[in-house]
C-alpha cells in the first residue's frame, strides 16, 4: 500500500508539472447532472499538461515507451487533497475516481529497467459519465460525485496504442501528456490529438 500511495503522489506531481511554472491549471465546474439510474453528481476537471512539439521531446521526457493492447480496466478512489489512495477516514467530498487500464505490453521501445512486465497498470484521472455507474460508486465507497476529465486520453478496450508514460516501479504508469501519450496504432500514421507528430515518428526515434 505504501508503494501504491507513492505512485499516486507521483501522479499528482505529473499534473503539477504540466503548466507554466509547474502549476496545475484545473478548471473545475460542478455539472450537477443527475443520473437517471442513480442520484449521481458529476464534477468536471480539465488538467493542464506540458505539450511536446516533437516526438523526440516526448520520448526524452518519458520513462516508458511501449506498444500495448488494452485488455480491461477498473476504478480506484483517491483523496483529491493528497492523491493518496482513499481510506475509511477520507471525507466523502474529498474522494476522486481514477481509472486503471490493464495494458498487455507488445513492444517495449524504452523502459525504466530491464524487467519489462507482461502487463502494466495505466492510471488515468477521472471516470465515465452515465456508464459503469455502479462500479464507480462502489469504488468511491459512499461518495455520489464522479469526476470527469474533459481531456482524458481516448482509450478503448481491445485496441493497441503507442504509449509514452512515466513510472517509478515499471508496473504502475501515468500519461506524460493526456493528449499525446496514447496514440492509436491501427495506423502508424495516426497523430497525437494535438496533431504535432505521428506514432511512426515516435517509433523512428529508436531506429
Amino acid at each position: 500500500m505504501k508503494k501504491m500511495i507513492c505512485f499516486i503522489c507521483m501522479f499528482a506531481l505529473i499534473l503539477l508539472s504540466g503548466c507554466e511554472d509547474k502549476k496545475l491549471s484545473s478548471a473545475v465546474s460542478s455539472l450537477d447532472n443527475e443520473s437517471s439510474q442513480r442520484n449521481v453528481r458529476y464534477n468536471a476537471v480539465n488538467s493542464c499538461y506540458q505539450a511536446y512539439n516533437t516526438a523526440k521531446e516526448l520520448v526524452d521526457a518519458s520513462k516508458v515507451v511501449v506498444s500495448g493492447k488494452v485488455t480491461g480496466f477498473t476504478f480506484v478512489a483517491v483523496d483529491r487533497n493528497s492523491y493518496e489512495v482513499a481510506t475509511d477516514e477520507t471525507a466523502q467530498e474529498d474522494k476522486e475516481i481514477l481509472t486503471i487500464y490493464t495494458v498487455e505490453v507488445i513492444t517495449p521501445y524504452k523502459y525504466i529497467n530491464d524487467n519489462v512486465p507482461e502487463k502494466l497498470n495505466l492510471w488515468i484521472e477521472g471516470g465515465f459519465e452515465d456508464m459503469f455507474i455502479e462500479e464507480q460508486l462502489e469504488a468511491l465507497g459512499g461518495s455520489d460525485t464522479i469526476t470527469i476529465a474533459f481531456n482524458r486520453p481516448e482509450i478503448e478496450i481491445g485496441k493497441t496504442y503507442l504509449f509514452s508514460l512515466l513510472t517509478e516501479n515499471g508496473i504502475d504508469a501515468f500519461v506524460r501528456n493526456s493528449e499525446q501519450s496514447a496514440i492509436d496504432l491501427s495506423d502508424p500514421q495516426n497523430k497525437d490529438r494535438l496533431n504535432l507528430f505521428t506514432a511512426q515518428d515516435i517509433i523512428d526515434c529508436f531506429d
Side-chain angles (χ1 to χ4, degrees):
M1 180 61 73
K2 289 183 178 179
K3 290 184 178 180
M4 190 59 66
I5 289 174
C6 174
F7 301 129
I8 293 297
C9 290
M10 187 186 76
F11 174 76
L13 292 175
I14 294 167
L15 294 181
L16 289 169
S17 68
C19 298
E20 184 179 358
D21 295 331
K22 297 189 176 182
K23 293 180 180 178
L24 173 64
S25 173
S26 182
V28 181
S29 62
S30 179
L31 301 184
D32 288 336
N33 290 337
E34 299 297 330
S35 167
S36 59
Q37 302 178 35
R38 291 284 299 272
N39 185 26
V40 177
R41 292 179 180 272
Y42 293 100
N43 191 52
V45 299
N46 188 23
S47 300
C48 182
Y49 295 81
Q50 178 179 339
Y52 297 91
N53 294 317
T54 67
K56 187 177 186 307
E57 287 181 5
L58 178 61
V59 167
D60 289 345
S62 302
K63 290 189 175 182
V64 167
V65 179
V66 300
S67 63
K69 181 178 181 179
V70 180
T71 60
F73 63 86
T74 187
F75 302 104
V76 66
V78 300
D79 186 326
R80 70 175 70 251
N81 297 311
S82 64
Y83 275 90
E84 295 182 358
V85 175
T87 67
D88 293 339
E89 286 72 41
T90 304
Q92 297 299 335
E93 62 269 20
D94 289 334
K95 290 182 179 179
E96 181 174 331
I97 199 79
L98 270 70
T99 307
I100 306 176
Y101 289 93
T102 301
V103 178
E104 290 186 354
V105 177
I106 298 174
T107 303
Y109 295 98
K110 177 180 179 180
Y111 222 78
I112 189 173
N113 53 44
D114 294 331
N115 299 317
V116 180
E118 294 182 0
K119 299 180 180 180
L120 57 81
N121 303 317
L122 177 57
W123 295 64
I124 300 293
E125 183 183 24
F128 297 92
E129 183 175 1
D130 294 329
M131 299 170 62
F132 312 109
I133 292 173
E134 295 297 331
E135 293 86 345
Q136 293 179 90
L137 292 179
E138 181 179 356
L140 286 167
S143 173
D144 63 355
T145 302
I146 296 174
T147 301
I148 305 296
F150 284 140
N151 59 342
R152 67 178 286 151
E154 297 175 356
I155 297 175
E156 297 182 26
I157 304 302
K159 282 193 172 184
T160 299
Y161 298 86
L162 185 63
F163 293 104
S164 303
L165 309 171
L166 291 179
T167 185
E168 288 297 330
N169 65 352
I171 300 293
D172 298 284
F174 309 88
V175 294
R176 199 67 184 88
N177 180 301
S178 65
E179 298 185 289
Q180 297 181 293
S181 283
I183 303 178
D184 183 1
L185 269 179
S186 59
D187 182 348
Q189 295 306 313
N190 284 337
K191 289 188 175 183
D192 68 305
R193 291 200 325 218
L194 300 180
N195 290 316
L196 294 174
F197 45 78
T198 67
Q200 188 62 54
D201 290 334
I202 295 175
I203 294 171
D204 288 344
C205 290
F206 301 95
D207 288 345

